[in-house]
Amino acid sequence: GVAMFDCVKVQAMSLLWTLTFPISVLVCLAFWTLINPLWDLKMPPGFVLITEHFINMLIFIAEFLANRNVFYLKHGIILYIYAFLYTIWSLIHFVAKVGVAPAMACHDYPLDECPIYPVLDWHHPGRTIIVVLGVTLATLILQLLIWRCTHKRDQRFFGSGARALMDPEI
């Protein structure tokens, strides 16, 4: 009944949190280092750009610090599934010559061959695979860091044994 539906909602929220929190950090790091590096800005940092690629991450970090959202390492697989599907989509985008909108035109290829992001340019598969593997490693490190911070946060606010007693699935 209602209790089962509430349980499903909580599980869905937990999985979405496990997906969106690390993605917000990864998007921020990738954007300001790979796509629009701080040391070589190609796009001026306006309100929307800063909100999408920095403020969003800060809001997630504030949420993490203010609440007791769980973060299970075993649920981290959802992030890899999402990344895998996104990588496959970028490959389909390349093969099907979907291209980009004229406002996002690249200078190296015809409009229908422009990659979604310059770092996912399948015209250069070796370089793109290195980026994908690097982001995969960064994702693993980030998930371990978030998991460790979750554990430390809960120890600080609820005592050293509270997390283990309340949540043995860490």
Side-chain angles (χ1 to χ4, degrees):
V2 173
M4 179 61 118
F5 183 67
D6 287 343
C7 183
V8 170
K9 288 191 299 188
V10 169
Q11 288 174 337
M13 186 280 309
S14 177
L15 281 173
L16 288 173
W17 171 256
T18 301
L19 177 66
T20 56
F21 181 33
I23 283 178
S24 73
V25 176
L26 286 169
V27 163
C28 179
L29 294 175
F31 183 80
W32 296 110
T33 59
L34 298 173
I35 297 169
N36 194 34
L38 284 170
W39 55 89
D40 185 25
L41 293 173
K42 293 167 182 53
M43 294 174 262
F47 175 77
V48 172
L49 193 120
I50 290 173
T51 301
E52 289 175 344
H53 299 101
F54 183 67
I55 303 296
N56 183 48
M57 178 194 68
L58 293 179
I59 291 169
F60 271 101
I61 290 171
E63 158 112 12
F64 169 76
L65 295 172
N67 295 299
R68 277 200 69 224
N69 291 337
V70 297
F71 192 88
Y72 297 127
L73 281 178
K74 67 181 181 179
H75 292 168
I77 191 73
I78 192 171
L79 187 55
Y80 290 102
I81 292 168
Y82 176 84
F84 176 75
L85 292 173
Y86 194 87
T87 302
I88 295 299
W89 165 246
S90 74
L91 204 76
I92 292 168
H93 184 275
F94 168 70
V95 171
K97 295 186 176 189
V98 174
V100 296
M104 297 175 58
C106 61
H107 303 293
D108 300 329
Y109 312 109
L111 196 59
D112 67 338
E113 291 185 29
C114 287
I116 298 171
Y117 294 110
V119 297
L120 289 176
D121 184 354
W122 290 103
H123 290 94
H124 306 283
R127 197 169 64 195
T128 301
I129 289 170
I130 289 170
V131 168
V132 168
L133 292 175
V135 170
T136 301
L137 179 61
T139 300
L140 175 63
I141 292 167
L142 180 62
Q143 286 184 315
L144 290 170
L145 181 65
I146 292 171
W147 174 77
R148 185 70 180 149
C149 288
T150 301
H151 185 70
K152 287 293 183 188
R153 175 202 62 195
D154 292 348
Q155 276 185 336
R156 181 171 180 226
F157 291 108
F158 303 102
S160 61
R163 184 74 175 174
L165 289 174
M166 294 167 47
D167 202 352
E169 288 195 60
I170 295 176

